[in-house]
């Protein structure tokens, strides 16, 4: 059975007679990007919400109820320390499951495991390392 895995994408829904395009988050199959390509994963999986530079200005941002976090200031928000474990848990979606919470951000752990069980943690680690590398003071 093919598991249906999804990642948020943006579609611009034009309604007749209206000049404004209403951004809408749609789901699409997750793109298989190599686990070794952290930047490629960021662009394919995260930039739609967090923006290409990670500041939170992706095309889907305005369609979300909660603004995507500025991922270049995670350290700045944590007293200058990059909270690697917390970031990895957040990306994976572990804390959310425990809290029965809902969030706009997909649970990447399940999505990555559906691509390949063996490389899911490698992907999460690579993304955390990538985020660490783009921190601004
Ligand atoms: C559908 C939109 C969406 C996508 C795609 C998305 N995020 Fe997010 N992300 C959010 C939103 C919204 C928040 C803020 C949630 C909140 O504050 O409750 C967030 C928060 C975060 C945080 C927490 C930052 C902090 O300081 O607490 C991290 C880390 C993060 N995202 C990483 C990622 C990574 C890595 C990817 C790609 C694998 C990704 N996000 C893809 C919407 C998204």
């Amino acid at each position: 059975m093919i598991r249906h895995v999804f990642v948020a994408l943006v579609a611009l829904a034009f309604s007749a007679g209206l000049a404004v395009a209403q951004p809408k988050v749609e789901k699409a199959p997750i793109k298989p990007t190599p686990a070794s390509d952290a930047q490629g994963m960021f662009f394919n999986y995260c930039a739609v919400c967090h923006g290409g530079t990670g500041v939170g200005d992706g095309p889907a941002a305005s369609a979300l109820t909660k603004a995507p976090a500025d991922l270049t200031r995670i350290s700045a928000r944590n007293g200058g320390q990059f909270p690697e474990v917390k970031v990895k848990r957040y990306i994976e979606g572990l804390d959310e499951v425990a809290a029965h919470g809902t969030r706009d951000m997909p649970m990447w752990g399940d999505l990555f495991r559906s691509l390949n069980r063996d490389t899911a943690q490698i992907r999460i680690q690579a993304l955390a390392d990538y985020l660490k590398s783009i921190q601004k003071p």
Side-chain angles (χ1 to χ4, degrees):
M1 190 191 91
I2 297 171
R3 275 198 61 188
H4 292 272
V5 290
F6 298 105
V7 59
L9 271 189
V10 161
L12 293 177
F14 292 91
S15 27
L18 278 179
V20 285
Q22 185 68 40
K24 199 167 130 271
V25 177
E26 292 216 329
K27 305 210 165 186
I30 186 169
K31 284 187 203 153
T33 304
S36 55
D37 182 6
Q39 190 169 37
M41 285 195 289
F42 187 81
F43 281 116
N44 279 341
Y45 304 147
C46 321
V48 64
C49 293
H50 291 284
T53 59
V55 297
D57 61 352
S62 62
L64 302 174
T65 42
K66 205 160 182 188
D70 178 349
L71 299 181
T72 67
R73 297 204 171 265
I74 298 173
S75 294
R77 287 192 294 272
N78 280 274
Q81 291 277 7
F82 186 75
E84 186 177 316
V85 172
K86 207 177 117 197
V87 166
K88 286 196 287 187
R89 289 182 69 86
Y90 193 90
I91 296 170
E92 184 163 7
L94 291 178
D95 296 335
E96 303 300 314
V97 175
H100 297 289
T102 54
R103 63 176 193 182
D104 282 337
M105 180 159 139
M107 312 283 207
W108 291 97
D110 289 342
L111 293 171
F112 290 158
R113 277 188 289 275
S114 72
L115 279 179
N116 182 335
R117 209 152 254 290
D118 298 335
T119 55
Q121 290 304 323
I122 297 172
R123 288 181 190 279
I124 292 165
Q125 181 67 53
L127 283 163
D129 290 344
Y130 178 75
L131 294 185
K132 195 172 181 178
S133 78
I134 62 168
Q135 293 310 298
K136 287 183 206 146

